[in-house]
Amino acid sequence: MTASTQEASLQDLERAWMDQAIDLATTSVNNGGGPFGALIAKDGEVVATGNNRVTSTLDPVAHAEVSAMRAACKELNTFSLEGCILITSCEPCPMCLSAALWARVDRLVYSADRHDAAVAGFDDRKFYDLFEKRPHSQWPVTVEHLDLPHRTQPFDAWLAKTDRIAY
């Protein structure tokens, strides 16, 4: 298979996966969840899926991307999603984007964007703006630094642990 054929094949797969993510989001709405769906793919196969379950589980971090990443990590028996693609029906909020970075996904592909979400009443733009433009003093939550002398104790213990698994 030529490079251009492989690229076309991957694009076809990603379109099919995006269709699946959008279907997951739509089904989620029909089942009382939020309008977001995501999946994790690796080596051309879907490893795990997730949909927004914030209201159905009373879990504010049960976003579709987080749910899909949690399921994929369990399925792959690892905390690292290196080699994986995150396909999501909508541009990830800052929390989900950060989680994807921590999970080390290779790529992230989304369809609807933050502006589309805002029109539907999901205004993540204010969170993006918060992180991008405002100093902590202007955030709607107080952010304070409490400098205690033993602040590095957990890190010191981590570094002293000889059988730690680095990540």
Side-chain angles (χ1 to χ4, degrees), residues 35-64:
F36 303 94
L39 62 85
I40 298 289
K42 184 173 185 173
D43 299 328
E45 300 292 328
V46 173
V47 174
T49 63
N51 64 284
N52 183 285
R53 295 190 300 247
V54 170
T55 57
S56 64
T57 62
L58 305 178
D59 180 353
V61 298
H63 291 200

Side-chain angles (χ1 to χ4, degrees), residues 13-118:
L13 265 178
E14 288 178 355
R15 282 188 197 98
W17 293 334
M18 185 61 73
D19 286 340
Q20 185 176 352
I22 292 169
D23 286 345
L24 285 165
T26 305
T27 300
S28 179
V29 171
N30 294 334
N31 292 332
F36 303 94
L39 62 85
I40 298 289
K42 184 173 185 173
D43 299 328
E45 300 292 328
V46 173
V47 174
T49 63
N51 64 284
N52 183 285
R53 295 190 300 247
V54 170
T55 57
S56 64
T57 62
L58 305 178
D59 180 353
V61 298
H63 291 200
E65 299 89 343
V66 171
S67 297
M69 287 185 279
R70 285 177 176 159
C73 287
K74 285 182 181 177
E75 180 66 27
L76 297 171
N77 196 32
T78 181
F79 59 83
S80 174
L81 296 177
E82 288 182 69
C84 294
I85 302 171
L86 171 59
I87 306 286
T88 181
S89 63
C90 186
E91 179 179 10
C93 71
M95 177 190 71
C96 292
L97 181 57
S98 296
L101 293 171
W102 275 111
R104 297 171 176 83
V105 297
D106 283 3
R107 292 187 59 233
L108 188 153
V109 181
Y110 66 92
S111 187
D113 66 18
R114 63 182 86 172
H115 308 292
D116 299 318

Side-chain angles (χ1 to χ4, degrees), residues 136-149:
H136 289 170
S137 63
Q138 294 179 3
W139 286 21
V141 62
T142 302
V143 178
E144 297 179 17
H145 177 219
L146 179 58
D147 188 9
L148 298 178

Side-chain angles (χ1 to χ4, degrees), residues 114-135:
R114 63 182 86 172
H115 308 292
D116 299 318
V119 170
F122 295 90
D123 199 355
D124 294 344
R125 291 180 302 191
K126 63 185 175 188
F127 298 122
Y128 280 100
D129 290 346
L130 179 71
F131 290 114
E132 294 171 356
K133 296 179 183 174
R134 296 184 186 161

